[in-house]
Amino acid sequence: MHENNSQETLRLVNVTRYVMPLREGGSLPALADADDGFSYVLKFKGAGQREKALVAELIGGELARRLGFKVPELVFANLDEAFGRSEGDEEIQDLLKSSQGLNLALHFLSRALTFDPGASQVDEYLASRIVWFDAWITNVDRTFRNTNLLIWNKELWLIDHGASFLFHHSWENWEKQALSPFGVVKDHVLLPWATELERVDAEMKAQISRELICRVLEMVPEEWILASRDTETAAEAREVYAAFLMKRMNNSSVFVNEAKDARKALI
């Protein structure tokens, strides 16, 4: 497991049973059981965007938790090399083989309901905070088509941040990306309720520090960061993520104004 000088890390579980794929698509997340007796939504490093999706999932999910959002517990999930040999589906067997070792999983919220924007009311302050957060981390995947929000115990829970941090797919232009207005905010499922973006902008910036960001970045396994060979060292990559997030926060008016303008266009 990733060597971490900090006391903060995720729990490690061993996957004991592949239960079922959860939806069609490139990433093929699965419902799986682990040796701690709980069920998890397992995200595979061998899928679609490979380790980059897990890096984004961990950073996005843990930042969200530390900023007070409801997020299912994230854990490191170990896949033994013998796991999945009896799996009949060839595509799934290939996925399991290419994902041996350390993966990421979210605690499965049993009986949670998918958020339905047509049948739900959302607190405007919470909606504004989520829209701000997603624009900050450039999360493109919280739309009407795929809300990535669950209702569990009558509360709104955030899931699936693997499509965040667009810049890390084209590493060289991260500074330009940090100043982008994030035009896809117009498709955000909670934008119609996001009436308090200015208030939230000030509050979120007061909550976020470089120290908080760096604590989360230290949780990301070096093997995931270095898998794509974008940087020579994990420390260098972490510095870019931290600089991106700080630069984006310090220029938040760029994406806040974009969100406000997009919201006006809805009315």
Side-chain angles (χ1 to χ4, degrees):
M1 200 169 113
H2 160 55
E3 288 298 320
N4 196 329
N5 296 325
S6 161
Q7 294 300 307
E8 299 182 70
T9 188
L10 302 181
R11 288 194 303 114
L12 174 65
V13 301
N14 293 297
V15 179
T16 55
R17 186 168 76 103
Y18 181 100
V19 179
M20 58 184 283
L22 285 177
R23 64 167 182 258
E24 297 303 318
S27 64
L28 282 176
L31 181 63
D33 295 335
D35 59 356
D36 62 351
F38 291 106
S39 297
Y40 293 91
V41 176
L42 186 56
K43 305 295 182 82
F44 297 100
K45 67 180 176 185
Q49 301 292 341
R50 295 196 60 87
E51 286 88 352
K52 283 192 174 177
L54 304 191
V55 170
E57 187 80 64
L58 197 164
I59 300 172
E62 283 302 308
L63 283 173
R65 184 193 318 287
R66 286 155 196 262
L67 292 171
F69 297 107
K70 297 284 186 184
V71 183
E73 182 192 7
L74 287 165
V75 298
F76 291 128
N78 184 57
L79 269 187
D80 187 87
E81 63 178 48
F83 189 83
R85 282 181 186 161
S86 60
E87 173 58 47
D89 185 305
E90 201 169 297
E91 184 184 8
I92 292 172
Q93 191 175 83
D94 288 345
L95 178 63
L96 296 175
K97 278 182 187 172
S98 62
S99 301
Q100 289 169 4
L102 204 61
N103 297 271
L104 193 68
L106 293 84
H107 194 93
F108 177 64
L109 302 181
S110 179
R111 294 186 294 280
L113 301 173
T114 299
F115 171 75
D116 180 354
S120 307
Q121 276 300 313
V122 184
D123 176 78
E124 293 180 350
Y125 174 64
L126 177 59
S128 302
R129 292 186 78 231
I130 295 171
V131 169
W132 190 100
F133 177 76
D134 284 334
W136 178 47
I137 66 170
T138 61
N139 177 22
V140 300
D141 206 6
R142 190 113 57 210
T143 65
F144 283 86
R145 190 170 60 85
N146 191 29
T147 67
N148 283 325
L149 293 165
L150 299 176
I151 305 289
W152 194 64
N153 289 345
K154 300 182 180 177
E155 293 183 301
L156 200 60
W157 289 70
L158 279 58
I159 59 169
D160 288 354
H161 297 94
S164 307
F165 302 103
L166 298 177
F167 82 87
H168 72 179
H169 299 290
S170 53
W171 203 258
E172 319 78 50
N173 67 350
W174 71 266
E175 291 183 89
K176 182 182 175 185
Q177 290 283 330
L179 297 174
S180 77
F182 197 60
V184 294
V185 74
K186 71 183 189 318
D187 301 318
H188 198 291
V189 68
L190 297 182
L191 188 63
W193 289 278
T195 60
E196 300 190 44
L197 286 166
E198 284 190 11
R199 171 191 169 190
V200 158
D201 184 41
E203 291 182 358
M204 295 293 270
K205 288 166 83 168
Q207 269 189 282
I208 295 164
S209 66
R210 186 179 173 87
E211 182 189 4
L212 180 146
I213 291 168
C214 289
R215 283 204 306 268
V216 170
L217 291 172
E218 280 300 317
M219 301 171 79
V220 183
E222 288 191 15
E223 64 189 76
W224 292 357
I225 294 175
L226 295 176
S228 56
R229 300 181 182 176
D230 292 309
T231 57
E232 290 290 323
T233 66
E236 186 184 343
R238 289 192 181 103
E239 179 53 40
V240 173
Y241 281 106
F244 170 85
L245 286 166
M246 289 299 295
K247 192 178 191 75
R248 194 153 179 79
M249 181 190 74
N250 290 331
N251 293 276
S252 63
S253 60
V254 175
F255 63 78
V256 168
N257 289 336
E258 180 76 13
K260 286 165 65 180
D261 290 346
R263 193 173 174 279
K264 282 177 194 166
L266 295 176
I267 299 169

